[in-house]
CSV table of all heavy atoms in Angstrom, one decimal:
chain,number,residue,atom,x,y,z
A,1,PHE,N,36.1,-0.5,-30.8
A,1,PHE,CA,35.5,0.8,-30.8
A,1,PHE,C,34.9,1.2,-29.3
A,1,PHE,O,33.8,1.5,-29.3
A,1,PHE,CB,34.3,0.9,-31.8
A,1,PHE,CG,34.7,0.4,-33.2
A,1,PHE,CD1,34.1,-0.8,-33.8
A,1,PHE,CD2,35.7,1.1,-34.0
A,1,PHE,CE1,34.6,-1.2,-35.0
A,1,PHE,CE2,36.0,0.7,-35.3
A,1,PHE,CZ,35.4,-0.5,-35.8
A,2,PRO,N,35.8,1.1,-28.4
A,2,PRO,CA,35.3,1.4,-27.1
A,2,PRO,C,34.7,2.8,-26.8
A,2,PRO,O,34.0,2.9,-25.9
A,2,PRO,CB,36.5,1.0,-26.2
A,2,PRO,CG,37.7,1.4,-27.1
A,2,PRO,CD,37.2,0.9,-28.4
A,3,ASN,N,35.1,3.7,-27.6
A,3,ASN,CA,34.8,5.1,-27.3
A,3,ASN,C,33.8,5.6,-28.4
A,3,ASN,O,33.3,6.8,-28.4
A,3,ASN,CB,35.9,6.0,-27.4
A,3,ASN,CG,36.8,5.8,-26.1
A,3,ASN,OD1,36.3,6.0,-25.1
A,3,ASN,ND2,38.1,5.6,-26.4
A,4,VAL,N,33.3,4.8,-29.4
A,4,VAL,CA,32.3,5.2,-30.3
A,4,VAL,C,30.9,5.5,-29.7
A,4,VAL,O,30.5,4.6,-29.1
A,4,VAL,CB,32.3,4.2,-31.5
A,4,VAL,CG1,31.1,4.5,-32.5
A,4,VAL,CG2,33.6,4.2,-32.4
A,5,LYS,N,30.4,6.6,-30.1
A,5,LYS,CA,29.1,7.0,-29.7
A,5,LYS,C,28.0,6.9,-30.7
A,5,LYS,O,26.9,6.6,-30.4
A,5,LYS,CB,29.1,8.5,-29.0
A,5,LYS,CG,30.3,8.8,-28.1
A,5,LYS,CD,29.9,8.0,-26.8
A,5,LYS,CE,30.8,8.5,-25.7
A,5,LYS,NZ,32.2,8.1,-26.0
A,6,CYS,N,28.4,7.1,-32.0
A,6,CYS,CA,27.5,7.1,-33.1
A,6,CYS,C,28.0,6.5,-34.4
A,6,CYS,O,29.3,6.7,-34.6
A,6,CYS,CB,27.0,8.5,-33.4
A,6,CYS,SG,26.3,9.4,-32.0
A,7,LEU,N,27.2,5.8,-35.1
A,7,LEU,CA,27.6,5.2,-36.4
A,7,LEU,C,26.7,5.8,-37.5
A,7,LEU,O,25.4,5.6,-37.3
A,7,LEU,CB,27.4,3.7,-36.3
A,7,LEU,CG,27.9,2.9,-37.6
A,7,LEU,CD1,28.3,1.4,-37.2
A,7,LEU,CD2,27.1,2.9,-38.7
A,8,PHE,N,27.2,6.4,-38.4
A,8,PHE,CA,26.4,7.0,-39.5
A,8,PHE,C,26.6,6.3,-40.8
A,8,PHE,O,27.7,6.2,-41.4
A,8,PHE,CB,26.9,8.5,-39.7
A,8,PHE,CG,26.7,9.3,-38.4
A,8,PHE,CD1,27.8,9.4,-37.5
A,8,PHE,CD2,25.5,9.9,-38.0
A,8,PHE,CE1,27.7,10.1,-36.3
A,8,PHE,CE2,25.3,10.6,-37.0
A,8,PHE,CZ,26.4,10.9,-36.1
A,9,TYR,N,25.5,5.6,-41.2
A,9,TYR,CA,25.7,4.8,-42.3
A,9,TYR,C,25.0,5.4,-43.6
A,9,TYR,O,23.8,5.5,-43.7
A,9,TYR,CB,24.8,3.4,-42.1
A,9,TYR,CG,24.9,2.4,-43.2
A,9,TYR,CD1,26.1,1.9,-43.6
A,9,TYR,CD2,23.7,2.0,-43.8
A,9,TYR,CE1,26.1,0.8,-44.6
A,9,TYR,CE2,23.8,1.0,-44.7
A,9,TYR,CZ,24.9,0.4,-45.2
A,9,TYR,OH,25.1,-0.5,-46.1
A,10,ALA,N,25.8,5.8,-44.6
A,10,ALA,CA,25.3,6.5,-45.7
A,10,ALA,C,24.9,5.6,-46.8
A,10,ALA,O,25.5,5.5,-47.8
A,10,ALA,CB,26.5,7.6,-46.2
A,11,ALA,N,23.9,4.8,-46.5
A,11,ALA,CA,23.3,4.0,-47.4
A,11,ALA,C,22.0,3.5,-46.8
A,11,ALA,O,21.4,4.3,-46.1
A,11,ALA,CB,24.2,2.6,-47.7
A,12,GLY,N,21.4,2.4,-47.2
A,12,GLY,CA,20.0,2.1,-46.9
A,12,GLY,C,20.0,1.1,-45.6
A,12,GLY,O,20.1,1.5,-44.5
A,13,SER,N,19.7,-0.1,-45.9
A,13,SER,CA,19.3,-1.1,-44.9
A,13,SER,C,20.5,-1.3,-43.9
A,13,SER,O,21.7,-1.5,-44.3
A,13,SER,CB,19.0,-2.5,-45.5
A,13,SER,OG,18.7,-3.5,-44.4
A,14,VAL,N,20.1,-1.3,-42.6
A,14,VAL,CA,21.2,-1.5,-41.6
A,14,VAL,C,20.9,-3.0,-41.0
A,14,VAL,O,21.7,-3.2,-39.9
A,14,VAL,CB,21.1,-0.4,-40.6
A,14,VAL,CG1,21.4,1.0,-41.2
A,14,VAL,CG2,19.7,-0.4,-39.8
A,15,GLN,N,20.1,-3.7,-41.4
A,15,GLN,CA,19.7,-5.0,-40.9
A,15,GLN,C,21.0,-5.9,-40.6
A,15,GLN,O,21.0,-6.7,-39.5
A,15,GLN,CB,18.7,-5.7,-41.7
A,15,GLN,CG,17.3,-5.1,-41.7
A,15,GLN,CD,16.6,-5.2,-40.4
A,15,GLN,OE1,17.0,-5.9,-39.5
A,15,GLN,NE2,15.4,-4.7,-40.3
A,16,HIS,N,21.9,-5.9,-41.5
A,16,HIS,CA,23.0,-6.9,-41.3
A,16,HIS,C,24.1,-6.4,-40.2
A,16,HIS,O,25.0,-7.3,-40.0
A,16,HIS,CB,23.7,-7.1,-42.5
A,16,HIS,CG,24.4,-5.9,-43.2
A,16,HIS,ND1,23.7,-4.7,-43.7
A,16,HIS,CD2,25.7,-5.5,-43.4
A,16,HIS,CE1,24.5,-3.9,-44.1
A,16,HIS,NE2,25.7,-4.3,-43.9
A,17,PHE,N,24.0,-5.3,-39.6
A,17,PHE,CA,25.0,-5.0,-38.7
A,17,PHE,C,24.6,-4.1,-37.5
A,17,PHE,O,25.2,-4.0,-36.4
A,17,PHE,CB,26.2,-4.2,-39.4
A,17,PHE,CG,25.6,-2.8,-39.9
A,17,PHE,CD1,25.7,-1.7,-39.0
A,17,PHE,CD2,25.3,-2.5,-41.1
A,17,PHE,CE1,25.3,-0.4,-39.4
A,17,PHE,CE2,24.9,-1.3,-41.6
A,17,PHE,CZ,24.9,-0.2,-40.7
A,18,ALA,N,23.4,-3.5,-37.6
A,18,ALA,CA,23.0,-2.5,-36.5
A,18,ALA,C,22.7,-3.0,-35.3
A,18,ALA,O,23.0,-2.5,-34.1
A,18,ALA,CB,21.8,-1.8,-37.0
A,19,ALA,N,22.2,-4.3,-35.0
A,19,ALA,CA,21.7,-4.8,-33.8
A,19,ALA,C,22.8,-4.9,-32.8
A,19,ALA,O,22.6,-4.4,-31.6
A,19,ALA,CB,21.0,-6.1,-34.0
A,20,GLU,N,24.0,-5.3,-33.3
A,20,GLU,CA,25.1,-5.4,-32.4
A,20,GLU,C,25.6,-4.1,-31.8
A,20,GLU,O,25.9,-4.0,-30.7
A,20,GLU,CB,26.2,-6.2,-33.0
A,20,GLU,CG,26.0,-7.7,-33.2
A,20,GLU,CD,24.9,-8.0,-34.3
A,20,GLU,OE1,24.7,-7.1,-35.1
A,20,GLU,OE2,24.6,-9.2,-34.4
A,21,PHE,N,25.6,-3.1,-32.7
A,21,PHE,CA,26.0,-1.7,-32.3
A,21,PHE,C,25.0,-1.1,-31.3
A,21,PHE,O,25.4,-0.5,-30.2
A,21,PHE,CB,26.2,-0.8,-33.5
A,21,PHE,CG,27.5,-1.0,-34.2
A,21,PHE,CD1,27.6,-1.9,-35.3
A,21,PHE,CD2,28.7,-0.4,-33.9
A,21,PHE,CE1,28.8,-2.2,-36.0
A,21,PHE,CE2,29.9,-0.6,-34.5
A,21,PHE,CZ,30.0,-1.4,-35.6
A,22,LEU,N,23.8,-1.3,-31.6
A,22,LEU,CA,22.8,-0.8,-30.7
A,22,LEU,C,22.8,-1.4,-29.4
A,22,LEU,O,22.7,-0.9,-28.3
A,22,LEU,CB,21.3,-1.1,-31.2
A,22,LEU,CG,21.0,-0.2,-32.5
A,22,LEU,CD1,19.7,-0.6,-33.2
A,22,LEU,CD2,20.9,1.3,-32.1
A,23,SER,N,23.1,-2.9,-29.3
A,23,SER,CA,23.3,-3.5,-28.0
A,23,SER,C,24.4,-3.1,-27.3
A,23,SER,O,24.4,-3.2,-26.0
A,23,SER,CB,23.4,-4.9,-28.3
A,23,SER,OG,22.3,-5.6,-28.9
A,24,CYS,N,25.4,-2.5,-27.9
A,24,CYS,CA,26.6,-1.9,-27.3
A,24,CYS,C,26.4,-0.5,-26.9
A,24,CYS,O,27.3,0.3,-26.3
A,24,CYS,CB,27.8,-2.1,-28.1
A,24,CYS,SG,28.3,-3.7,-28.3
């Protein structure tokens, strides 16, 4: 996903995946 700017998660907890996307 080299061009992705935003990830929209239509659910609750993002703990299992968010840190890596934020780091990118």
Side-chain angles (χ1 to χ4, degrees):
F1 309 110
N3 289 303
V4 166
K5 305 294 186 296
C6 301
L7 189 161
F8 301 94
Y9 184 62
S13 176
V14 298
Q15 290 288 357
H16 64 291
F17 68 84
E20 287 76 11
F21 279 92
L22 290 169
S23 293
C24 292

